Amino acid sequence: MPSLDLADLHTIADRAAFDFGRIIDLADDDGFIGAGADLSTATLLNAYRSGVFPWFGADDPICWWCPPVRCVVHPDDFHPAKSLIRTAKKMPWHITTNRAFGSVMTACAAPRAYSDDTWINDEMIDAYTKLHDMGAAMSVEVWDSAADDAKLVGGLYGVQYGAVFCGESMFHTQKDASKIAFWALMHLATSAGIRLIDCQLENSHLMSLGATLMPRDEFLTALATLNRAPTPPLSGSMSTRELALIDG
């Protein structure tokens, strides 16, 4: 399926059976809106356009959230730590975009050292792969080299909606590889004209990478403008050493 343009994505979102923009006010103090609906492309696009995202456990119904405080990053304001720059300069890693979306999602779904639980089940992988096929979901991959048989050592994925990138998850199998993917996302987002990275929920890892907190009303106001801004899709490739020269 060829990539669709921004107007096409909004047209699909308009056709959704569930209009999340009308129920934002139902969010409780934790940001929980409700359970149900489906993970069709129309539903997901309508949700992301409205500032809502799905998050639920393996045995739970589909749950929808819009937190009262949003964790975000402005790509132009990101500055890599000196230790990360040193890592980028010494490692032979190679960064790509949208080369292995399914592999990145599968890696993000794998058990973590701190938990065996995952919200990225087969249904989620299928739903976001469909978004990827239409050009709405993107991945950033970090490989251990530029060779054809290189191994995936880190990456992230999310949904691009105009000038907003809604990050979903990241992973690494080698130290700092997910941080490199995040740094590359900042550079590629700036190059494409993406002005806001939605990290959804605060955690210590994201805050250590330069994320800040934005009240829901402020986030939704920015989102309403940015998701209507025609913006090239996230794309590009480079070595980590090139990334260090560009942004280091």
Side-chain angles (χ1 to χ4, degrees), residues 71-229:
C71 184
V72 302
V73 179
H74 295 89
D76 290 345
D77 295 336
F78 176 80
H79 301 287
K82 291 181 179 179
S83 59
L84 191 59
I85 295 172
R86 289 195 294 269
T87 296
K89 288 180 177 179
K90 73 179 182 180
M91 300 304 290
W93 296 343
H94 192 71
I95 301 159
T96 60
T97 49
N98 304 311
R99 175 176 156 186
F101 182 87
S103 297
V104 170
M105 275 206 76
T106 299
C108 287
R112 308 296 173 103
Y114 53 83
S115 175
D116 290 332
D117 296 332
T118 180
W119 69 96
I120 307 173
N121 55 28
D122 290 344
E123 185 182 12
M124 291 281 278
I125 292 174
D126 180 64
Y128 283 82
T129 298
K130 289 177 181 176
L131 287 180
H132 173 67
D133 289 343
M134 65 171 54
M138 312 285 180
S139 59
V140 176
E141 303 94 12
V142 180
W143 308 86
D144 64 359
S145 74
D148 291 339
D149 60 349
K151 295 180 180 180
L152 194 62
V153 296
L156 58 83
Y157 78 96
V159 175
Q160 182 180 343
Y161 217 132
V164 179
F165 184 88
C166 306
E168 281 296 317
S169 187
M170 62 177 73
F171 83 98
H172 68 275
T173 61
Q174 292 194 27
K175 183 181 178 182
D176 288 340
S178 61
K179 292 181 180 180
I180 291 289
F182 189 84
W183 177 10
L185 172 64
M186 297 303 111
H187 168 70
L188 295 167
T190 299
S191 298
I194 295 172
R195 294 171 54 194
L196 187 67
I197 308 295
D198 172 23
C199 301
Q200 299 177 350
L201 299 169
E202 173 188 2
N203 63 49
S204 58
H205 180 60
L206 289 169
M207 299 305 286
S208 73
L209 292 174
T212 59
L213 302 179
M214 181 182 289
R216 177 166 53 212
D217 289 348
E218 184 180 342
F219 171 78
L220 294 178
T221 297
L223 179 67
T225 298
L226 294 176
N227 68 25
R228 297 282 178 177

Side-chain angles (χ1 to χ4, degrees), residues 80 84-90 183 238-248:
L84 191 59
I85 295 172
R86 289 195 294 269
T87 296
K89 288 180 177 179
K90 73 179 182 180
W183 177 10
M238 71 200 83
S239 69
T240 52
R241 292 167 183 170
E242 289 172 327
L243 180 64
L245 289 173
I246 295 168
D247 285 343

